[in-house]
Amino acid sequence: MLSIQNLTLEFPTRTIFNGISFLINPGDKVSLVGRNGAGKSTLLKILGGDLPPQEGSVNHPKEFSIGYLPQELVFPEGKTVREEAETAFEELRAMERSIEEINEQLATRTDYESESYIDIIQKLTDVTQAYEMKGGYSAAGEVEKVLFGLGFKPEQLDLPLSTFSGGWRMRVELAKILLLNHDVILLDEPTNHLDIESIIWLEAFLKTHSAAIVLVSHDRNFMDTVTNRTIEIVNGNIYDYPAHYSKFLVLREERVQQQINAKKNQEKEIKETQQLIDRFRAKASKASFAQSLVKKLDRMETIDVDEMETGRIRFSFPSANPSGKVVLKLENVCKAYGEKNVLNGVDMEIERGDRVAFLGQNGQGKTTLVRLLMNEIHGEGIVEWGHNVKVGYYAQEQTTWLDGDKTVLQTIEDEAPDEIRPRVRSMLGAFMFSGDDVTKKVKVLSGGEKGRLALCKLLLNPVNVLLMDEPTNHLDLKSKDVLKQALNDFDGTVILVSHDRDFLAGLTDKSFEFKGGKVKEHLGDIHSFLEAKKMESFREYELQKKEEKHSGKTKQNKSQAKAQRNEEKAERKRLKQLEKTETAIAELESEIAVMDDQLQNPETYKQLLNDEAFLASYNAKKAELEKLMDAWSDLMNV
């Protein structure tokens, strides 16, 4: 159990936490929500021990383990992917060395009846038991299982970690946390650098994990799937709801409405009381009564209504003079990294006013093409921007390009044209940077605040084409809605890379599907694309493993239709078996968790160590869990 008592944190300009208290119980799956800058990431830092509170305390039992994945990390160097992931088991390696040393001592001893010999035997038993409970015998297999689940291929595990992007290196850090038997796992925006396939794997992993989970995310589906409790941070206080995010929204609406009704009743009571005071104040016989009413008003605590909509960014993209009819044309564009052809003979044409989505799994070339379009990298083939095209570019790593030593105001002033400089503070105000906020150093901003600042930079120069790679990664749900509206209102051309189905819905009218080095055009928005693919959701599309083969020249014959029906039937059977396996895993992990608690209880520990039936059952359950996890992994990788 993690206990947070009277936690207070104040900055010069505002209060972050005002004496908040709550408990994280075993098995809790908690979403921290609130507007950008409300203190979500700060609270995770305090819980993870990276930031001390000014007042209050964070308490937990001895031998309590907390895993923490922040939004930003300093990545280690010098190891391969596998070697870095295996550093999670340094404690197990120490236990292995201890077991080896004890066995060497026993091999040289002959005083089998002595007290010191018995002590050594007991020490060996204790260390071996701890080693087993921490998963020492299955650690090697778990490393590969978790890395594969997070999207790594077998051939990538022995490549230097330094050859991977920041997003992939973040996955290794996440793997290290998931591999350890933590009591609480703290995750700050864990899905930002994951594709949909990896997000779904992570959802299933966390949902059945025995640890308590506390996470910050702006992915509604992820929160609904993983969590069963929502803690909202509002103006330094918290509201705790025993519900996932979508249900929380309903409950919050009810709470705010109750506050509004209570405030109306209070204002009515105050008005009536004041009228009585004014009426009887001048009468000597009623003076004492009037005075008592005055004291009553003085003692009355004013009811405040949480104004949920006050913290919203508001902006529109300034448009330049129209471009030519053809905005972008690609002919036979290719890009390879070594022997891997990421893009292979890509042809594409985008016209003025098009709203385009680049869709596909990570690693299929979407960001590669974006970077090639912006001359950050070079490939083969023809890339032609049309007449009078002016591009506003938001890169996937846009927030990392900001100079951390500059202030918010300096960041915008240094790049603003002369005619815009007088309006810089107003622009920042539209992005919720007001007063002393503009003097903050960029390096102290939250991920969401950096995202808003990067968006603000896009407004400095008029453009007629917006090219945006995962622009919603660090934005809260309300800010995503505002960005979506601004893009809908923009009268130029929009090109988006995103895995966010809700964000894309109704925003684009054309999709380019990236798969196997090729790019295929689909007309219509994301719903039309999904309907054409005969799939219920964008997630199911991104989970698809096998490429559909199209001739494009002849209609599908009966044998092809039958093969497709058989394939769809097999997929439904796989999904049903997957759901059944996940349920069995959850039940078994729950049973093992109960037995773990019994083994960790000092009152029952020694008794259970001598209970052969209990230990046999315990080991059998763990072995069965291992089989189920292997079966689950096989089903996921079909």
Side-chain angles (χ1 to χ4, degrees):
M1 181 177 70
L2 193 62
S3 172
I4 294 85
Q5 296 292 330
N6 299 316
L7 200 67
T8 297
L9 182 66
E10 295 182 347
F11 291 162
T13 56
R14 63 190 178 101
T15 298
I16 305 299
F17 305 121
N18 185 22
I20 63 174
S21 299
F22 60 95
L23 297 175
I24 301 297
N25 297 304
D28 278 352
K29 304 289 191 289
V30 182
S31 287
L32 292 180
V33 301
R35 65 175 180 81
N36 281 347
K40 303 184 295 294
S41 295
T42 300
L43 183 54
L44 287 187
K45 289 178 182 178
I46 292 175
L47 298 183
D50 283 8
L51 180 67
Q54 291 171 336
E55 295 180 21
S57 61
V58 177
N59 303 303
H60 53 73
K62 291 183 178 179
E63 306 301 324
F64 193 84
S65 176
I66 299 177
Y68 172 42
L69 181 75
Q71 279 193 43
E72 298 177 358
L73 283 170
V74 177
F75 296 112
E77 302 287 348
K79 292 184 172 65
T80 66
V81 171
R82 187 196 306 273
E83 289 169 345
E84 185 58 41
E86 288 176 344
T87 62
F89 296 124
E90 289 179 350
E91 184 180 4
L92 290 177
R93 301 291 88 86
M95 288 182 178
E96 289 172 355
R97 291 190 294 271
S98 179
I99 291 172
E100 184 177 349
E101 291 172 0
I102 294 173
N103 282 323
E104 288 176 357
Q105 292 180 41
L106 292 175
T108 61
R109 299 284 292 262
T110 57
D111 53 335
Y112 307 121
E113 304 297 329
S114 69
E115 186 174 342
S116 61
Y117 188 88
I118 295 174
D119 289 342
I120 295 175
I121 291 292
Q122 184 60 50
K123 183 178 180 182
L124 178 62
T125 301
D126 292 342
V127 175
T128 302
Q129 180 70 34
Y131 181 77
E132 181 178 353
M133 290 180 63
K134 289 183 177 293
Y137 296 114
S138 60
E142 287 297 314
V143 169
E144 291 190 355
K145 186 182 300 182
V146 171
L147 288 174
F148 292 161
L150 291 174
F152 286 95
K153 301 292 187 289
E155 63 270 17
Q156 294 177 311
L157 299 193
D158 295 311
L159 296 177
L161 188 60
S162 58
T163 62
F164 290 84
S165 68
W168 285 95
R169 297 171 82 175
M170 183 69 80
R171 295 186 191 207
V172 177
E173 295 302 309
L174 176 57
K176 289 159 62 175
I177 291 173
L178 300 181
L179 284 166
L180 292 175
N181 190 26
H182 292 298
D183 297 287
V184 174
I185 296 176
L186 312 173
L187 302 173
D188 196 351
E189 295 289 1
T191 65
N192 272 357
H193 300 287
L194 301 181
D195 57 27
I196 297 299
E197 181 177 352
S198 298
I199 290 174
I200 292 179
W201 179 90
L202 181 61
E203 286 177 349
F205 188 97
L206 295 178
K207 188 176 180 180
T208 59
H209 201 287
S210 60
I213 310 294
V214 183
L215 62 88
V216 173
S217 178
H218 296 137
D219 186 326
R220 183 194 300 262
N221 289 332
F222 184 75
M223 290 189 288
D224 280 347
T225 301
V226 173
T227 66
N228 53 26
R229 180 179 169 194
T230 303
I231 295 178
E232 182 187 24
I233 304 173
V234 183
N235 299 326
N237 300 308
I238 63 167
Y239 294 94
D240 199 339
Y241 299 84
H244 58 63
Y245 183 77
S246 292
K247 179 64 175 176
F248 146 75
L249 291 177
V250 176
L251 295 174
R252 181 181 64 175
E253 188 70 28
E254 293 174 356
R255 182 195 89 217
V256 173
Q257 189 58 51
Q258 289 171 357
Q259 289 177 340
I260 291 172
N261 294 337
K263 187 171 183 63
K264 286 180 179 179
N265 291 334
Q266 186 183 62
E267 289 173 345
K268 180 181 178 182
E269 181 183 358
I270 291 172
K271 181 179 179 181
E272 292 173 349
T273 303
Q274 188 63 52
Q275 288 174 344
L276 287 172
I277 293 171
D278 295 340
R279 179 180 176 184
F280 295 121
R281 178 177 286 160
K283 297 182 180 181
S285 60
K286 298 291 186 179
S288 61
F289 175 63
Q291 190 60 36
S292 67
L293 293 177
V294 171
K295 291 180 179 179
K296 177 185 176 181
L297 288 184
D298 290 340
R299 290 194 302 268
M300 186 179 294
E301 292 187 10
T302 303
I303 296 174
D304 294 322
V305 177
D306 295 320
E307 299 181 12
M308 308 311 299
E309 300 301 324
T310 56
R312 288 187 68 143
I313 60 177
R314 53 194 185 281
F315 71 98
S316 59
F317 290 105
S319 58
N321 292 329
S323 66
K325 181 179 179 182
V326 176
V327 169
L328 177 65
K329 188 173 183 179
L330 307 183
E331 292 183 7
N332 197 32
V333 170
C334 301
K335 177 62 180 177
Y337 293 99
E339 297 181 356
K340 182 179 180 181
N341 292 317
V342 180
L343 299 171
N344 188 10
V346 173
D347 297 322
M348 181 184 298
E349 185 170 294
I350 296 175
E351 295 185 350
R352 181 179 62 242
D354 281 348
R355 304 299 174 111
V356 175
F358 286 176
L359 305 176
Q361 295 176 337
N362 282 359
Q364 295 298 321
K366 303 184 301 296
T367 296
T368 296
L369 181 56
V370 169
R371 296 184 65 199
L372 194 149
L373 295 179
M374 297 308 299
N375 284 320
E376 293 179 357
I377 58 175
H378 300 285
E380 300 177 1
I382 298 173
V383 176
E384 290 184 351
W385 287 102
H387 173 68
N388 198 37
V389 166
K390 295 183 179 180
V391 181
Y393 175 41
Y394 188 101
Q396 187 172 153
E397 303 294 333
Q398 186 82 27
T399 58
T400 65
W401 294 359
L402 300 172
D403 187 339
D405 291 324
K406 288 185 178 181
T407 66
V408 170
L409 184 60
Q410 288 171 337
T411 299
I412 302 302
E413 282 186 334
D414 288 353
E415 297 193 29
D418 291 340
E419 63 272 17
I420 290 181
R421 280 179 174 274
R423 296 189 286 114
V424 162
R425 285 183 178 269
S426 296
M427 292 176 62
L428 288 171
F431 284 85
M432 295 164 54
F433 294 108
S434 59
D436 292 338
D437 289 340
V438 302
T439 62
K440 287 182 180 178
K441 290 288 185 69
V442 170
K443 60 186 176 186
V444 305
L445 299 180
S446 68
E449 289 170 324
K450 289 178 181 177
R452 286 191 270 118
L453 184 60
L455 280 174
C456 186
K457 287 180 64 177
L458 276 183
L459 273 63
L460 296 177
N461 295 286
V463 297
N464 49 35
V465 175
L466 285 169
L467 176 58
M468 309 184 82
D469 191 356
E470 298 290 0
T472 64
N473 266 357
H474 295 286
L475 297 182
D476 62 28
L477 293 166
K478 291 178 183 175
S479 297
K480 279 201 261 187
D481 291 341
V482 175
L483 173 59
K484 183 173 180 177
Q485 185 60 53
L487 290 172
N488 270 322
D489 293 340
F490 179 63
D491 61 4
T493 305
V494 177
I495 304 172
L496 292 171
V497 179
S498 178
H499 289 112
D500 191 327
R501 177 187 173 183
D502 290 334
F503 180 70
L504 290 174
L507 188 54
T508 59
D509 53 27
K510 183 186 296 185
S511 301
F512 287 98
E513 178 188 8
F514 287 65
K515 200 170 190 180
K518 300 293 184 180
V519 177
K520 181 180 179 181
E521 182 178 351
H522 297 263
L523 297 179
D525 69 358
I526 185 68
H527 294 302
S528 300
F529 172 77
L530 296 175
E531 187 177 343
K533 302 296 291 185
K534 294 183 179 179
M535 297 183 181
E536 294 181 356
S537 71
F538 191 39
R539 292 185 170 205
E540 289 179 350
Y541 158 63
E542 294 223 334
L543 274 174
Q544 182 175 334
K545 290 288 187 179
K546 300 175 181 178
E547 287 190 41
E548 297 173 0
K549 297 181 179 179
H550 300 279
S551 66
K553 298 178 181 179
T554 60
K555 293 183 178 180
Q556 187 181 50
N557 57 35
K558 291 183 179 180
S559 62
Q560 288 175 315
K562 182 178 179 180
Q564 182 175 343
R565 288 195 298 271
N566 289 338
E567 190 172 318
E568 291 172 350
K569 183 178 179 181
E571 178 63 9
R572 288 195 297 271
K573 183 178 180 181
R574 183 187 75 84
L575 291 173
K576 185 175 181 180
Q577 185 62 35
L578 184 64
E579 182 179 0
K580 183 178 179 181
T581 303
E582 288 176 348
T583 301
I585 288 172
E587 292 174 352
L588 200 54
E589 285 191 327
S590 179
E591 293 171 6
I592 292 173
V594 172
M595 300 178 83
D596 283 338
D597 289 341
Q598 293 174 320
L599 284 170
Q600 293 173 6
N601 188 335
E603 296 179 1
T604 59
Y605 170 71
K606 291 185 178 179
Q607 178 185 347
L608 292 176
L609 283 181
N610 297 320
D611 188 338
E612 294 183 359
F614 177 90
L615 292 177
S617 175
Y618 179 80
N619 291 327
K621 289 180 185 295
K622 296 198 76 171
E624 179 63 21
L625 178 62
E626 185 72 20
K627 290 180 181 178
L628 285 171
M629 291 299 291
D630 287 338
W632 179 88
S633 180
D634 291 338
L635 288 167
M636 285 294 292
N637 291 309
V638 169

